Amino acid sequence: MVMLHVKKTDELQFLFETAVKNSVDETVTELVEIWNMQIQIRRLLDSMDDLAKYGPAKPGDKQCIDTYATDDYGNMINDQIPRGPHYCMDPTGKRTGEAPEPRLAEVINRQVSDAKKVVDAKATVERRQAVTKQYFQECMDSLRGAVMIAFPEGLPEFDDVEFMLKGECEEDGRTMEKFYDGTELWWAGKQMEQGQSKKICDYLGNNDKTKIVCKLQKPGGGAPAREPAVNEQTQKEMMAFYHRKQEEMKKLADDEDDGHMSAAWANPNALKSHLQGTGGSVGWR
């Protein structure tokens, strides 16, 4: 199986195995699905942390910090709203504050902790673990099950957790890295062409032991930036080494003292003077 290392940053990368006889179209489709699921789960985990702490979301027109909640006439009503035994005010005002009981919140937190390990891209790549769509789908199912246990009556449709568990996601800074139709696959500065019955072997040959670093790119984006010649850690070590050398050269430059030139042992004519008998001090009687 060919190993494709799909990478954008250390936090956005994964390994994927495929056969050289598979078509480029099928491979790109699978890569895009895996890439988007990885981003979807990360976005979901942020919201589930808040769900366990502050409960379901409020309707869009009711979102405000509870301390300043008012009725239709502008009157403060925070003291009049009944609160549950596990109420915890959401400092952003987006959630009701009606958190689940601690043992149910722990179910969510435990699944969130496990899911964070699943989407820890850097650790997964370092373990050389190839991922599949099923790998991330099982993670999504576990998170969905935790929500159903903590909130058996279900979440409101406008809750972003419910929204994302259905496979939908609102575009924001955390989901802008998603790819859609027309995504391109690039390797070695060349695009693997789609829609022309091309296969992976047309670009990589028939060697099933091949491993490459490739990148997904939005349509029309052109060739992506190449991988740096050295990784970030090596670059830091190199910079530290050259900095130390520079400091050593500065110290040597500051230590250039020529006061020793007046010493007898530094006199270049000392041997000549000694042989001529003029090297010693002259004494008078």
Side-chain angles (χ1 to χ4, degrees):
M1 300 291 282
V2 175
M3 181 74 75
L4 305 182
H5 183 182
V6 184
K7 182 179 181 181
K8 184 169 186 179
T9 65
D10 286 344
E11 301 302 324
L12 288 174
Q13 59 177 328
F14 62 87
L15 298 177
F16 178 77
E17 289 184 335
T18 186
V20 292
K21 298 299 182 182
N22 286 353
S23 69
V24 175
D25 289 5
E26 293 175 354
T27 302
V28 172
T29 300
E30 289 186 71
L31 293 178
V32 169
E33 289 178 348
I34 292 174
W35 183 276
N36 289 345
M37 288 188 71
Q38 189 179 34
I39 294 176
Q40 182 91 353
I41 292 174
R42 289 186 176 187
R43 175 66 179 83
L44 176 60
L45 294 179
D46 292 339
S47 297
M48 287 190 65
D49 279 333
D50 292 339
L51 177 66
K53 293 178 182 177
Y54 309 118
K58 300 176 184 177
D61 58 344
K62 300 293 185 181
Q63 291 184 359
C64 69
I65 298 176
D66 292 346
T67 306
Y68 305 104
T70 59
D71 58 16
D72 295 338
Y73 302 99
N75 300 317
M76 305 292 287
I77 59 172
N78 181 45
D79 296 337
Q80 305 173 19
I81 301 176
R83 304 296 187 188
H86 307 294
Y87 172 75
C88 180
M89 187 183 73
D90 182 4
T92 66
K94 294 182 178 180
R95 297 188 174 273
T96 61
E98 300 297 339
E101 57 181 286
R103 65 183 182 86
L104 297 179
E106 179 58 28
V107 172
I108 295 179
N109 292 331
R110 185 167 57 251
Q111 290 299 332
V112 168
S113 178
D114 292 343
K116 287 181 178 179
K117 297 177 182 178
V118 171
V119 295
D120 187 350
K122 188 174 181 179
T124 303
V125 171
E126 288 177 351
R127 293 196 304 268
R128 299 182 181 179
Q129 177 182 353
V131 299
T132 62
K133 180 181 177 182
Q134 183 64 26
Y135 176 73
F136 289 114
Q137 187 60 54
E138 291 175 357
C139 179
M140 286 286 290
D141 293 341
S142 298
L143 294 173
R144 184 180 293 105
V147 172
M148 292 176 64
I149 292 173
F151 298 92
E153 71 283 0
L155 296 173
E157 293 184 356
F158 47 80
D159 195 307
D160 52 355
V161 172
E162 180 71 15
F163 196 59
M164 286 182 284
L165 286 175
K166 292 180 179 178
E168 303 172 359
C169 192
E170 183 179 353
E171 283 289 337
D172 60 13
R174 291 169 288 185
T175 59
M176 63 184 301
E177 299 290 349
K178 277 191 169 186
F179 291 107
Y180 301 98
D181 294 339
T183 299
E184 303 169 352
L185 180 63
W186 288 75
W187 168 69
K190 297 179 181 179
Q191 180 184 352
M192 294 187 177
E193 298 179 1
Q194 303 175 59
Q196 300 183 17
S197 301
K198 292 281 189 178
K199 296 183 178 180
I200 298 297
C201 60
D202 294 333
Y203 297 93
L204 305 182
N206 294 316
N207 185 2
D208 267 337
K209 302 298 183 181
T210 305
K211 178 182 177 181
I212 65 170
V213 177
C214 54
K215 296 183 181 249
L216 294 172
Q217 188 77 340
K218 293 182 179 179
R226 289 180 177 270
E227 285 290 301
V230 295
N231 59 34
E232 184 179 357
Q233 181 61 29
T234 303
Q235 187 176 13
K236 289 181 179 179
E237 292 175 357
M238 291 172 61
M239 292 178 66
F241 172 77
Y242 287 120
H243 178 72
R244 288 196 301 269
K245 293 292 291 183
Q246 188 176 20
E247 292 299 318
E248 290 176 3
M249 295 302 294
K250 286 182 179 179
K251 290 181 180 178
L252 290 175
D254 294 340
D255 197 32
E256 287 185 355
D257 183 11
D258 58 356
H260 65 279
M261 297 301 293
S262 60
W265 58 264
N267 182 8
N269 298 318
L271 179 60
K272 179 181 177 182
S273 300
H274 176 72
L275 295 175
Q276 291 178 346
T278 61
S281 57
V282 180
W284 299 91
R285 291 185 180 180

